[in-house]
Amino acid sequence: MTGQSGLSWIDILVILIYLIATGYLGWLGYRGTRSAADFLVGGRTVHPIIMAVSYGATFISTAAIVGFGGVAGLFGMSLLWLTFLNIGVGIFIAFVFLGEPTRRMGHRLGAHTFGELLGLRYQSRAVQIFAGALIFLFMPLYSAAVMTGGSIFAATQFGIDFEVALLIFALITAAYVVPGGLKAVMYTDTLQGFVMILAMFFLLWFTYSQLGGIGEAHRYLTGMADMVPAKLQAIGHQGWTEMPAFGWGAIQYNLWYIVVTTIILGVGIGVLAQPQLAVRFMTVRSRRELDRAVPIGAVFIMLMTGAPFIVGSLSNAWFAQHGPLLHGTVETMINADSDGDSDRAMVALRRANDAGAWVPILGKDDKPAVVPLVISTREQVHDNAGESFELVSGRSSIITYVKGQADRIIPTYISTAMPHWFGIVFFLALLAAAMSTMSSQFHTIGTSAGRDLYEQITHKPHGSEPSLLAMRLAVIVGLLVAVTISYTVREGYVIARFTAIFFGLCAAAFMPAYIGGLFFKGVTRTGALASMSVGFGISAFWLLFIKAKEASAIGLVQLVTGGKPSLLADVPNWPVVDPIVVALPLSTLTLIIVSAFTRKPDDDHLVQCFSKQNEARSLRQRLDSTF
Amino acid sequence: MLGIPDPWVAVAYLGCILMTIVSLIYGLMRRNAAPDEVTPIDRDWAIEERKTDHDL
């Protein structure tokens, strides 16, 4: 892996300019209006660009860029379907169809957390406590994904150990989050959003121009299909510009189900039921502001997810053309080129030892590491015993350089291919993006613990001192749990997997009750609670006993099956299917069936939830209950 | 198309651009269509939200 350390004067200048600009905007924000709620209180309009970019910056973080960009480097451009859903579902459907009903209902009911919105809509403490508990318990998984992404990037960019980077990252987060930096300052969010936009434009332009333009870059990547690692080929990887092989009942279709069900559907649809997203809608001033945020949000998300997915995939082509040279001996030819200057072969890697002899590089299993190489030169050299042999030199896909660790792909590409100053700017923007995302996450954890759990269980009023203490403690506990998860779990593409688990869980448990509650008066309290229980129960069962990667990591399934990683280990494909595919339809069905046979909410409550004319009465009722 | 042989991937690539264009057109057409009023309920909600943020 290529790490860089040491700062030149230009790096220091870039850092200083960035910090001064951020500090100045932060100071401006703290002097006056700083958050969306402040703008709303003051009755002022937020410029739609500031609204949309600060909104996007809250949700886009290291998880999307480092985690999912890395997965695209591993699995290819099929991940662009996720970008398509991010724009079509996460922006268009969310803003156009869910934003205004959420905002209106949240304001009328006086809801300030996602759990409170559901609880007040269904007049049920149980619903609120259930939602709050789920968010409090599982949101740290998503925070861990963001933290891991930032730490891996810092480790690669500055050439330090992951553990050191994680420690620094955790301390910065604690310093930012614990003393009260939880509140997003819109101007600084917007600045880092713009830095990210410029960085993504530069990243795309640089990558395409280095590879000869859009068509040429894609064609070269397509031609590298025979360099896909054998392990990935075995599960259906057909090349970085192809969808994985589709079918059912054989291991060679596994990748299709990983990409489509976990990565694309789990995250692409799960975004609709994200608790922070729903609460963010409530901070919007009006329907007009939501409409105006759609185009900017779409452009922002296209760049923030599309660019890393394209660049992640193309980083394989860049490394095959410009990456550091690797050396070794040919094991088998993959593809002999007619003019002999770009033969491809499986090569057993070697390195020159101190004495100048070429010795094998051993892999994890203590056997010589064999990787696909685009051969550029051949020469006769000697080994340890003085025997002469042909040494080939060449380059490989980025997967070889990062030893198959997807989470290292984007950081390695940026630290190797891009100018160092760009890596610094990119890191600072990522750090800021991670901070604003984690602010939002820990804010959600804190308010869920305080308002949804503590206040509902103990019947304490809003804002009481013990409740505030519960919120603050929850933030600290959430932070410690997230750091522990980041430190402990490192294998595979954990950033994307953690994100997908949280998004999928939210979708299955919350989405039917949330959307049903916004649009259908006939949805009942029992129906909502049953739907949430079924969605969560099936997801949890699936993660514990069926989905092999997660189940085997948790370890419970081995006790039941005598060592197998899944209850369905002998049935191909099921162990890689995401729980959302089963849990979401069943929780939706449960909501419909149970609501049909249980007592409907009373009319007065429905009027308060849905009628425009009832706002004054709702306000009076709320004020009455407060004082 | 675009050097991408698999139509499913090419459609995703172009679909992202198309969806962004649809969003741009929607935003332009609707930029002044919806009302922009802050009701006492909205303001009341924002005051409590700000208080929660501040307390936390």
Side-chain angles (χ1 to χ4, degrees):
Chain A
M1 198 177 69
T2 321
Q4 292 184 25
S5 55
L7 297 175
S8 67
W9 66 269
I10 194 162
D11 299 334
I12 293 167
L13 188 69
V14 166
I15 292 171
L16 279 177
I17 292 172
Y18 187 89
L19 291 180
I20 289 169
T22 307
Y24 176 67
L25 289 174
W27 178 70
L28 276 186
Y30 271 96
R31 275 177 64 210
T33 308
R34 54 183 189 166
S35 74
D38 290 327
F39 276 96
L40 196 47
V41 171
R44 292 172 57 192
T45 310
V46 187
H47 194 283
I49 290 182
I50 291 181
M51 183 73 210
V53 174
S54 74
Y55 171 88
T58 310
F59 282 92
I60 290 297
S61 70
T62 49
I65 296 165
V66 177
F68 287 86
V71 171
L74 209 58
F75 299 154
M77 288 191 178
S78 52
L79 253 79
L80 285 173
W81 280 108
L82 176 57
T83 301
F84 179 78
L85 287 187
N86 283 155
I87 304 167
V89 176
I91 294 292
F92 196 82
I93 291 180
F95 276 64
V96 173
F97 297 107
L98 299 186
E100 175 64 4
T102 305
R103 189 189 75 83
R104 233 174 21 220
M105 192 177 284
H107 287 193
R108 281 181 194 156
L109 298 174
H112 292 267
T113 67
F114 185 71
E116 210 166 34
L117 178 72
L118 294 180
L120 291 170
R121 163 64 181 86
Y122 293 113
Q123 297 173 291
S124 165
R125 277 177 56 234
V127 165
Q128 186 172 351
I129 291 170
F130 193 132
L134 226 63
I135 294 164
F136 173 65
L137 289 175
F138 291 96
M139 182 74 92
L141 204 60
Y142 184 21
S143 309
V146 178
M147 207 171 268
T148 302
S151 303
I152 289 179
F153 196 93
T156 310
Q157 185 63 34
F158 300 109
I160 55 176
D161 288 338
F162 172 82
E163 288 74 15
V164 176
L166 177 63
L167 180 68
I168 296 169
F169 206 84
L171 289 175
I172 294 174
T173 309
Y176 187 75
V177 173
V178 175
L182 282 166
K183 199 166 179 180
V185 178
M186 293 184 83
Y187 293 138
T188 49
D189 280 355
T190 308
L191 171 75
Q192 47 113 338
F194 275 115
V195 172
M196 291 306 297
I197 287 173
L198 292 175
M200 287 303 170
F201 265 123
F202 185 72
L203 199 58
L204 262 186
W205 169 81
F206 177 89
T207 306
Y208 274 131
S209 65
Q210 287 263 308
L211 295 171
I214 294 175
E216 190 51 40
H218 294 164
R219 272 187 285 278
Y220 187 87
L221 190 64
T222 303
M224 286 177 63
D226 51 10
M227 293 183 72
V228 170
K231 275 184 183 173
L232 292 177
Q233 284 187 27
I235 57 170
H237 198 316
Q238 306 187 105
W240 286 277
T241 56
E242 302 263 353
M243 289 295 287
F246 172 67
W248 181 259
I251 278 177
Q252 72 253 33
Y253 305 128
N254 269 359
L255 188 60
W256 193 91
Y257 293 96
I258 293 170
V259 169
V260 174
T261 66
T262 301
I263 307 284
I264 297 175
L265 289 181
V267 179
I269 293 180
V271 71
L272 284 181
Q274 280 296 290
Q276 324 90 294
L277 183 85
V279 174
R280 196 74 167 82
F281 283 144
M282 294 181 212
T283 64
V284 173
R285 172 188 160 94
S286 65
R287 168 88 210 207
R288 185 183 294 180
E289 209 167 68
L290 283 167
D291 284 343
R292 288 178 172 192
V294 169
I296 304 142
V299 172
F300 186 78
I301 295 296
M302 183 181 72
L303 280 169
M304 291 305 119
T305 62
F309 297 174
I310 291 170
V311 169
S313 302
L314 288 174
S315 64
N316 289 290
W318 191 91
F319 267 77
Q321 289 184 13
H322 307 285
L325 278 175
L326 301 170
H327 314 278
T329 51
V330 172
E331 292 277 303
T332 51
M333 291 302 293
I334 297 174
N335 170 29
D337 191 57
S338 56
D339 53 13
D341 63 356
S342 60
D343 287 346
R344 290 176 191 169
M346 294 305 292
V347 171
L349 294 178
R350 287 180 179 244
R351 63 177 175 81
N353 65 11
D354 293 342
W358 289 92
V359 294
I361 296 176
L362 301 181
K364 281 179 191 166
D365 48 4
D366 279 343
K367 290 178 183 167
V370 179
V371 301
L373 224 62
V374 181
I375 297 170
S376 51
T377 59
R378 296 166 185 266
E379 59 182 316
Q380 289 296 318
V381 293
H382 297 281
D383 64 11
N384 253 350
E387 293 283 320
S388 170
F389 66 93
E390 186 187 59
L391 182 82
V392 296
S393 301
R395 298 177 174 90
S396 187
S397 71
I398 194 168
I399 297 174
T400 300
Y401 293 88
V402 299
K403 296 175 184 163
Q405 296 177 51
D407 295 342
R408 293 191 180 276
I409 287 178
I410 294 290
T412 301
Y413 176 67
I414 287 175
S415 66
T416 310
M418 312 296 289
H420 198 220
W421 65 264
F422 177 84
I424 301 271
V425 172
F426 199 82
F427 170 71
L428 289 171
L430 267 187
L431 185 70
M435 285 305 145
S436 60
T437 302
M438 283 199 288
S439 285
S440 159
Q441 290 170 341
F442 286 115
H443 182 281
T444 309
I445 290 171
T447 50
S448 294
R451 292 179 80 104
D452 298 337
L453 292 178
Y454 183 81
E455 289 174 10
Q456 292 307 311
I457 292 169
T458 62
H459 299 281
K460 289 274 192 309
H462 290 325
S464 64
E465 196 49 47
S467 168
L468 294 176
L469 188 65
M471 284 189 198
R472 289 170 194 144
L473 276 177
V475 171
I476 293 168
V477 169
L479 185 62
L480 289 175
V481 172
V483 174
T484 309
I485 294 171
S486 281
Y487 181 76
T488 315
V489 189
R490 296 281 313 286
E491 59 172 43
Y493 44 99
V494 289
I495 303 173
R497 275 171 51 212
F498 284 168
T499 309
I501 289 172
F502 181 71
F503 275 53
L505 210 56
C506 287
F510 299 143
M511 198 190 292
Y514 169 49
I515 295 180
L518 286 183
F519 295 104
F520 302 103
K521 295 178 180 175
V523 179
T524 67
R525 174 193 311 170
T526 322
L529 200 55
S531 163
M532 288 166 72
S533 307
V534 166
F536 172 70
I538 291 175
S539 297
F541 174 80
W542 207 267
L543 290 169
L544 286 172
F545 296 106
I546 305 291
K547 192 140 187 260
K549 210 150 193 163
E550 282 71 22
S552 58
I554 296 163
L556 210 57
V557 70
Q558 285 94 329
L559 298 176
V560 180
T561 60
K564 289 181 179 175
S566 165
L567 286 179
L568 299 176
D570 300 325
V571 189
N573 305 136
W574 276 117
V576 295
V577 169
D578 195 78
I580 193 173
V581 175
V582 180
L584 181 57
L586 287 179
S587 64
T588 308
L589 206 62
T590 305
L591 185 85
I592 296 167
I593 292 172
V594 176
S595 293
F597 295 103
T598 47
R599 196 169 67 84
K600 301 282 176 280
D602 59 65
D603 288 342
D604 279 353
H605 177 66
L606 289 176
V607 166
Q608 192 186 350
C609 289
F610 290 97
S611 167
K612 276 183 180 176
Q613 284 75 36
N614 204 47
E615 293 190 344
R617 200 177 98 190
S618 164
L619 175 63
R620 194 166 55 246
Q621 282 175 344
R622 235 159 10 89
L623 289 174
D624 289 345
S625 64
T626 306
F627 300 106
Chain B
M1 193 171 18
L2 294 165
I4 298 172
D6 186 338
W8 284 101
V9 176
V11 165
Y13 193 100
L14 294 174
C16 296
I17 298 169
L18 193 70
M19 200 62 231
T20 307
I21 293 171
V22 168
S23 302
L24 283 167
I25 293 169
Y26 173 87
L28 283 174
M29 286 175 61
R30 294 267 313 166
R31 69 185 186 282
N32 290 318
D36 181 35
E37 52 177 347
V38 178
T39 64
I41 290 275
D42 297 333
R43 208 166 166 276
D44 186 59
W45 181 91
I47 288 168
E48 189 170 337
E49 175 69 8
R50 196 164 63 166
K51 185 177 173 298
T52 308
D53 274 350
H54 180 74
D55 289 342
L56 187 59

